[in-house]
Amino acid sequence: MAAASSVTRALRIMEAVAAAGDGITPKAIARRLGCPLPTVYRALGTLVEQGYLVRLHEVRGYGLGYRVAELQHSLAEQVRPPAAVRTVLHEVHLELGAAAYLVARRDADVVVAHVDDCPEHPLAPGLRAGEPTAPHATAAGKAVLSGLRGPRLTELLGRVGLPALAPHTVADRRGLDRELRRVRAEGVAVEVEEYAAGVAGLAVPVLGPDGEVVAGLGVSVSRADFAARRWELERGVRRAGSRVAALPVG
């Protein structure tokens, strides 16, 4: 039990440092967590020694260490699709002038597997490769959810919830079920200001060899661009989805 509490404490300290940014002091950490200062010092020493935190002498405090970035990079590499799939996403980005992205299910999470964007065509804020997304609020996430039914869908939604993120997020189960039925019938998922204000997009489910949905391929654009080019975007994304379906996704 002591070892478990020590691990939990170390993780909470890392979270406190991440939330505060560079320069948080041991005393500030102790106050935030309600821990004795000597306990915080001991945990800080171990975390610095292992590379998860760094001691910053100029600002007289602590910051996240570079092992954290290594872990995030490793996770992104594990969910990253093969080169052929990434090539298709890059071509979608160039041909449609829109940020392209792929999401896939990782157990009970829907994770952004790859992003292809640029400053002129940025992906919606908060969507980053290797990180989970709110599947009920993104077009590609809904494309993945459309392949789940019954207990599998309930389990996933029970874990991630249905938070209202933007003006038009579908934040209730009954409404989401209606939306997923539409995605299954039409083969395309659409979202307009459901994930972020001023952002819209669409996506298609990517089917595996057995016909099961294995990923969602989508584009993200401004709401105004979506209104002007909706059918052009849909045709391009459908073509890309068919191409990716013929490739191993992961």
Side-chain angles (χ1 to χ4, degrees):
M1 293 295 292
S5 62
S6 297
V7 171
T8 301
R9 188 179 302 113
L11 293 172
R12 296 292 175 266
I13 288 174
M14 288 182 62
E15 290 171 352
V17 174
D22 285 354
I24 187 170
T25 65
K27 288 184 179 180
I29 295 172
R31 285 196 299 270
R32 286 189 179 212
L33 302 183
C35 291
L37 187 58
T39 300
V40 171
Y41 270 116
R42 285 195 296 272
L44 286 172
T46 300
L47 290 168
V48 169
E49 180 181 348
Q50 297 300 319
Y52 294 103
L53 295 180
V54 292
R55 186 176 181 184
L56 303 168
H57 297 282
E58 289 188 5
V59 293
R60 298 176 181 273
Y62 290 81
L64 289 178
Y66 306 107
R67 284 292 300 279
V68 176
E70 292 174 9
L71 292 175
Q72 198 283 330
H73 178 73
S74 296
L75 174 57
E77 285 297 311
Q78 289 173 23
V79 300
R80 192 183 193 197
V85 176
R86 302 198 303 270
T87 296
V88 173
L89 287 171
H90 184 60
E91 292 173 354
V92 168
H93 173 195
L94 296 180
E95 292 170 5
L96 296 180
Y101 69 115
L102 186 83
V103 305
R105 197 159 60 89
R106 187 174 186 250
D107 194 40
D109 290 312
V110 177
V111 179
V112 180
H114 188 63
V115 169
D116 201 300
D117 65 351
C118 66
E120 290 76 24
H121 310 114
L123 191 61
L127 292 177
R128 292 179 287 269
E131 297 186 9
T133 184
H136 69 296
T138 61
K142 288 192 286 186
V144 170
L145 293 183
S146 71
L148 302 177
R149 287 180 171 83
R152 295 175 70 195
L153 180 60
T154 298
E155 178 188 3
L156 189 150
L157 295 177
R159 178 167 173 171
V160 302
L162 296 172
L165 304 177
H168 301 296
T169 307
V170 179
D172 66 280
R173 179 63 188 271
R174 190 171 291 180
L176 180 62
D177 285 342
R178 285 196 300 269
E179 177 70 6
L180 295 182
R181 286 195 295 270
R182 189 192 65 76
V183 175
R184 294 180 192 117
E186 299 180 7
V188 63
V190 174
E191 66 94 1
V192 179
E193 292 192 313
E194 295 179 38
Y195 181 76
V199 176
L202 54 81
V204 296
V206 176
L207 304 181
D210 60 356
E212 183 178 359
V213 176
V214 296
L217 186 155
V219 293
S220 178
V221 296
S222 70
R223 178 177 178 173
D225 195 19
F226 180 82
R229 300 198 295 136
R230 189 244 196 267
W231 300 112
E232 174 195 351
L233 294 171
E234 180 174 333
R235 287 192 295 270
V237 170
R238 284 186 184 274
R239 287 195 301 269
S242 297
R243 291 175 61 194
V244 170
L247 301 169
V249 175

